[in-house]
Amino acid sequence: MTSILKVTEIQDPTNSNTALTIDSSGRVSRPVIPYAFVNFANSGAYVSVSADSILDFSVAVENDGNHYNTSTYKFVCPVAGLYKVEVSTLTQTNGDAYSINPVRNSGGSAVEVARFYTRDRALSGSINIKCSANDELYLETKHTKSFYKSTVIPYSWATYTFIG
């Protein structure tokens, strides 16, 4: 048996907000998708980050859902699903090798899930990571480096996005 459900809006169980809308063309819209765009505090200088440290992205330019903590530099996954982590950095010295690793901390067990590596000043990478609710995502550097902290447009930044 086939059924057709015709609705334009789906609300949460308490009817306090819209969870999903569908327009007349069939486009689905979700009001809040967990997302954070973060970077270093604007100082216009190179600042050293020690090896085996979490990148201290303390400025949340966007923090939809408030899941990124600017004190711990970690994104807490609100629901189970697939998350995309992207990072781009610029260091002071050309020709030095360094890496940045996305880390998933699940119930106190932290695991590096990938390694982004370069032998140049610029590094960028992205990965999709399957997470459980309350997992933490963050970025670690494996080498002591001086990262550029821009005063206007960030050269070093990261994003955390819930995909589904």
Side-chain angles (χ1 to χ4, degrees):
M1 178 174 171
T2 304
S3 299
I4 297 174
L5 177 64
K6 295 182 180 184
V7 298
T8 57
E9 182 177 312
I10 298 174
Q11 294 185 344
D12 70 9
T14 63
N15 298 323
S16 62
N17 65 40
T18 300
L20 188 80
T21 58
I22 305 167
D23 71 11
S24 61
S25 296
R27 289 183 290 261
V28 176
S29 172
R30 296 178 289 173
V32 178
I33 298 171
Y35 169 77
F37 172 59
V38 298
N39 60 24
F40 291 121
N42 296 332
S43 66
Y46 289 98
V47 178
S48 183
V49 177
S50 299
D52 298 316
S53 295
I54 297 174
L55 287 181
D56 59 340
F57 289 125
S58 60
V59 175
V61 177
E62 300 286 339
N63 197 2
D64 297 345
N66 247 359
H67 303 292
Y68 185 81
N69 185 320
T70 56
S71 298
T72 63
Y73 321 119
K74 296 177 181 180
F75 181 88
V76 178
C77 302
V79 295
L82 196 58
Y83 290 81
K84 184 172 195 161
V85 177
E86 297 177 284
V87 63
S88 180
T89 58
L90 182 66
T91 60
Q92 185 173 21
T93 308
N94 200 16
D96 282 347
Y98 73 100
S99 66
I100 292 177
N101 303 343
V103 177
R104 178 185 56 222
N105 185 346
S106 184
S109 176
V111 175
E112 296 173 356
V113 294
R115 177 164 290 165
F116 305 136
Y117 176 83
T118 188
R119 291 194 54 83
D120 200 359
R121 290 181 66 195
L123 177 145
S124 63
S126 68
I127 188 168
N128 296 333
I129 304 171
K130 189 173 182 180
C131 296
S132 298
N134 298 314
D135 281 1
E136 295 175 322
L137 296 172
Y138 53 93
L139 296 160
E140 280 187 345
T141 180
K142 302 314 279 180
H143 305 88
T144 298
K145 285 289 161 198
S146 292
F147 292 96
Y148 186 61
K149 298 184 178 187
S150 164
T151 56
V152 182
I153 298 172
Y155 288 98
S156 297
W157 53 267
T159 62
Y160 300 87
T161 308
F162 175 66
I163 297 173

